[in-house]
Amino acid sequence: AQSVTQLGSHVSVSEGALVLLRCNYSSSVPPYLFWYVQYPNQGLQLLLKYTSAATLVKGINGFEAEFKKSETSFHLTKPSAHMSDAAEYFCAVKESASKLTFGTGTRLQVTL
Amino acid sequence: GAVVSQHPSRVICKSGTSVKIECRSLDFQATTMFWYRQFPKQSLMLMATSNEGSKATYEQGVEKDKFLINHASLTLSTLTVTSAHPEDSSFYICSVGGGGTNEQFFGPGTRLTVL
């Protein structure tokens, strides 16, 4: 079965600093990978997705992620954090058919 | 992407009662919908896959008789928590499969509190 590991349940950065949220996956076949963001008491919003096209994927709100097969990673980055980026971020891998498996999530805190 | 709504957004009920949560796909005909449960500060756990016109597929450990799923149309799936207990208190989120896009579109969630 495919799985996702998110290192760091909580990340704190200063406003304007680089954001790096880590995600490693385990898959026996080329995976589909996703990053979702969740604001308090809300559902999930898709930030970006990797579907075997370009390895560097650009998403909404200035986020991007790079698929590295050799490292089985799909880390999420943003050059400059904004206060509005504070939220919970989930990495997910798609299994057969359309079932998604989520990581445990990383809470991003942005400080002044 | 698809727009997904859930109703109610928040519900409080007494222990032993049943609660129905609706998930609607507003602009997309969804043959498949997914129901997730999320406990505080935890990730989403898939409970079941709802298939239009047929029985839902439940994940291991999820009681199908307790969490009744009905997917009677291409735009509506319902989750009924029967004989709810305090341990069923959670955030329930549905999603819609995006056809050929490989992604899922999520509803805003329903917070269930069982007293």
Side-chain angles (χ1 to χ4, degrees):
Chain A
Q2 297 173 330
S3 65
V4 169
T5 301
Q6 290 184 242
L7 296 177
S9 60
H10 184 245
V11 171
S12 182
V13 301
S14 300
E15 189 174 35
L18 171 72
V19 176
L20 171 61
L21 304 182
R22 300 179 185 275
C23 173
N24 288 86
Y25 69 91
S26 171
S27 174
S28 59
V29 298
Y32 293 127
L33 293 161
F34 306 84
W35 275 101
Y36 285 89
V37 60
Q38 184 182 33
Y39 297 99
N41 294 310
Q42 295 186 27
L44 275 66
Q45 180 182 9
L46 180 68
L47 278 176
L48 48 80
K49 61 182 178 183
Y50 168 75
T51 57
S52 73
T55 56
L56 181 62
V57 181
K58 293 186 183 298
I60 62 172
N61 302 337
F63 285 94
E64 62 181 38
E66 185 173 8
F67 172 73
K68 292 186 177 180
K69 184 178 179 180
S70 61
E71 299 178 6
T72 61
S73 68
F74 190 58
H75 301 330
L76 181 71
T77 60
K78 182 174 181 178
S80 177
H82 192 273
M83 296 296 289
S84 61
D85 295 325
E88 188 86 17
Y89 292 81
F90 292 97
C91 183
V93 61
K94 182 183 173 184
E95 296 184 0
S96 60
S98 50
K99 180 179 175 180
L100 279 176
T101 298
F102 287 88
T104 51
T106 298
R107 181 167 298 278
L108 175 65
Q109 180 183 18
V110 182
T111 59
L112 290 173
Chain B
V3 178
V4 182
S5 69
Q6 284 184 240
H7 178 79
S9 59
R10 184 182 297 268
V11 57
I12 301 173
C13 69
K14 294 181 179 181
S15 183
T17 61
S18 295
V19 175
K20 180 185 285 188
I21 302 171
E22 293 184 348
C23 176
R24 292 184 183 275
S25 176
L26 300 181
D27 59 353
F28 180 78
Q29 293 188 322
T31 55
T32 303
M33 293 184 177
F34 304 88
W35 286 97
Y36 295 84
R37 180 166 54 184
Q38 184 181 31
F39 291 107
K41 302 185 185 303
Q42 295 187 28
S43 188
L44 279 74
M45 299 300 296
L46 181 65
M47 299 175 64
T49 302
S50 171
N51 304 299
E52 188 266 337
S54 64
K55 293 182 179 180
T57 303
Y58 290 82
E59 295 299 301
Q60 190 173 11
V62 178
E63 299 176 59
K64 63 179 181 180
D65 294 330
K66 180 170 182 62
F67 299 100
L68 300 179
I69 291 174
N70 183 278
H71 192 160
S73 77
L74 291 173
T75 59
L76 174 64
S77 175
T78 60
L79 168 68
T80 301
V81 183
T82 63
S83 187
H85 288 91
E87 57 266 31
D88 298 324
S89 298
S90 187
F91 196 51
Y92 292 87
I93 305 175
C94 71
S95 72
V96 168
T101 66
N102 298 309
E103 65 188 89
Q104 292 182 19
F105 303 97
F106 288 81
T110 296
R111 182 159 303 283
L112 170 63
T113 303
V114 185
L115 302 177

